[in-house]
Amino acid sequence: MSMEALYQDIILDHYKNPRNFRKLDHIPEDQVFENPSCGDSLKLEVKIENGIIQSVSHESSGCAISVSSASMMTALLSGKTVAEAQNIVARFLAAFRGEVEGIPEEYDDLLALEGVIKYPLRVKCATLAWHALDTILKSQS
Ligand code: ZN
């Protein structure tokens, strides 16, 4: 199996079985994050205790890239400190802006999204959840 096919499988797995996905009906419409160019939308709930992210839940809809990216993000960041999470978010977004080369291997499934960096139209799909988390963490600190 080629790496590309493997990555496609990882993305589809997260899309079909998104981790940490649940209905977040209590989050108001004005706190929904959207990527209008593709039709992706996302609600995000972050629970923080003593500076540690206890859980990140999302309610995502849209394309496979946006949903799988949100799923991968929530899986990676649960249990991290807020500072660690902010570093990872900054590093991920820098990769998608082309400021640093690629996605670090320790980000696990996220490597599967690396191919998206080449497609400017899909970058917003891959980064929607990350910008949302960045916004939420900044508003809480
Ligand atoms: Zn999309």
Side-chain angles (χ1 to χ4, degrees):
M1 186 187 265
S2 71
M3 286 309 274
E4 208 157 296
L6 174 70
Y7 285 163
Q8 199 68 35
D9 274 3
I10 293 172
I11 290 171
L12 282 178
D13 176 52
H14 277 273
Y15 178 53
K16 287 179 185 155
N17 308 294
R19 322 298 194 262
N20 306 300
F21 182 101
R22 54 191 189 88
K23 286 274 168 204
L24 297 172
D25 290 332
H26 58 287
I27 293 184
E29 289 300 314
D30 64 356
Q31 289 173 34
V32 177
F33 294 88
E34 288 179 322
N35 170 23
S37 62
C38 179
D40 308 317
S41 88
L42 167 101
K43 292 178 182 176
L44 201 60
E45 182 178 69
V46 191
K47 294 206 167 128
I48 298 170
E49 254 173 64
N50 302 322
I52 294 169
I53 296 179
Q54 304 294 329
S55 67
V56 192
S57 309
H58 67 109
E59 183 182 345
S60 305
S61 66
C63 69
I65 291 171
S66 72
V67 174
S68 65
S69 182
S71 169
M72 292 170 188
M73 181 187 80
T74 61
L76 180 67
L77 297 185
S78 295
K80 299 267 193 281
T81 68
V82 171
E84 284 168 342
Q86 282 178 314
N87 278 335
I88 292 171
V89 171
R91 179 64 181 70
F92 183 86
L93 291 175
F96 275 88
R97 282 193 301 264
E99 294 168 5
V100 293
E101 182 129 356
I103 293 168
E105 265 177 46
E106 67 265 28
Y107 290 10
D108 201 28
D109 284 357
L110 280 161
L111 265 181
L113 291 174
E114 202 170 61
V116 176
I117 294 172
K118 296 195 294 271
Y119 301 96
L121 286 172
R122 310 312 302 276
V123 163
K124 283 184 182 166
C125 304
T127 57
L128 176 66
W130 299 76
H131 284 298
L133 182 64
D134 195 39
T135 303
I136 290 171
L137 290 179
K138 278 181 182 148
S139 74
Q140 292 190 354
S141 60

